[in-house]
Amino acid sequence: SQKIEQNSEALNIQEGKTATLTCNYTNYSPAYLQWYRQDPGRGPVFLLLIRENEKEKRKERLKVTFDTTLKQSLFHITASQPADSATYLCALDLYNQGGKLIFGQGTELSVKP
Amino acid sequence: GAVVSQHPSWVICKSGTSVKIECRSLDFQATTMFWYRQFPKQSLMLMATSNEGSKATYEQGVEKDKFLINHASLTLSTLTVTSAHPEDSSFYICSARATGGVGNQPQHFGDGTRLSIL
């Protein structure tokens, strides 16, 4: 069966540390993988997109890796801050699906001061 | 840029009422918009894909007669929950993709509509 799973429902880290979130999928062949941030009661906000032929993408303190052999993406936030606390969602963008996204269940990140 | 406005943000109504939710792309044109539903502590579940000028494509298990979608222009899609019942209570979120982009474009989300049916 097709699945997309994020490593844990909740992740607690200390301010200044690097947060690493995992997204694994099975029986999908995504063309792209996207990461979004969602705050309580709000819609998701786009963070990063990585293509299947890209290994890594960076944006300021954010880094995403994409391993199509392992069927896994890692999302890193370096020098984390309490303001980074939110739920982070990974999403698969499949070929020939009209652009629709398949979302993981999300990981709730809490950064403690 | 790429702002999506969703209205209303919060609705409480009686069982049997029909509720319309609007989704507008404010500074870009969107041939395709998407409607999601999200329950507490769960991820977004795609309900339907809304295409400007044509019928919406519904995901398996979503009743098209219950959730009416109209995408009359490149900047507006509406979702009407007909004869709503308590089990329809949820957080409904729309998103839009800029015209001309598919996989290499992110989706831009509205801030959702919290629907509570009494």
Side-chain angles (χ1 to χ4, degrees), chain B residues 6-103:
Chain B
Q6 191 171 337
H7 179 80
S9 57
W10 187 50
V11 179
I12 299 177
C13 58
K14 293 180 179 179
S15 186
T17 306
S18 291
V19 178
K20 180 186 280 188
I21 302 170
E22 292 188 349
C23 181
R24 294 179 184 273
S25 56
L26 296 186
D27 51 359
F28 66 100
Q29 293 186 330
T31 305
T32 303
M33 292 185 175
F34 302 89
W35 287 95
Y36 296 84
R37 186 171 176 173
Q38 186 176 35
F39 291 105
K41 299 292 185 183
Q42 294 187 26
S43 191
L44 283 75
M45 295 302 296
L46 180 66
M47 298 174 66
T49 302
S50 168
N51 298 296
E52 186 267 336
S54 65
K55 290 183 180 179
T57 303
Y58 290 82
E59 295 299 300
Q60 191 173 12
V62 178
E63 299 176 58
K64 61 181 180 181
D65 295 329
K66 173 76 171 176
F67 300 99
L68 300 179
I69 291 172
N70 183 275
H71 193 156
S73 76
L74 286 172
T75 59
L76 174 63
S77 175
T78 61
L79 168 69
T80 300
V81 184
T82 61
S83 187
H85 292 286
E87 60 266 28
D88 298 321
S89 298
S90 189
F91 191 50
Y92 293 87
I93 311 176
C94 71
S95 72
R97 228 171 194 159
T99 298
V102 184

Side-chain angles (χ1 to χ4, degrees), chain A residues 3-6 23-25 28 90-92 102-105:
Chain A
K3 283 193 303 184
I4 173 170
E5 291 182 319
Q6 295 187 236
C23 178
N24 295 291
Y25 58 92
Y28 283 115
C90 69
L92 303 181
I102 310 298
F103 280 89
Q105 80 276 23

Side-chain angles (χ1 to χ4, degrees), chain A residues 9 32 34 36 38 41-46 49 51 89 93 97-101 103-106 108, chain B residues 32 34 36 38 41-44 46 49 59 91 93 97 102-107 109-112 114:
Chain A
E9 286 189 2
Y32 307 88
Q34 303 184 18
Y36 289 80
Q38 186 176 24
R42 306 293 297 273
V45 174
F46 171 74
L49 175 154
R51 295 170 174 75
L89 303 163
D93 193 334
Q97 293 293 314
K100 70 180 185 182
L101 297 177
F103 280 89
Q105 80 276 23
E108 186 175 350
Chain B
T32 303
F34 302 89
Y36 296 84
Q38 186 176 35
K41 299 292 185 183
Q42 294 187 26
S43 191
L44 283 75
L46 180 66
T49 302
E59 295 299 300
F91 191 50
I93 311 176
R97 228 171 194 159
V102 184
N104 59 346
Q105 296 287 335
Q107 290 185 18
F109 287 82
D111 263 343
R114 175 77 55 196

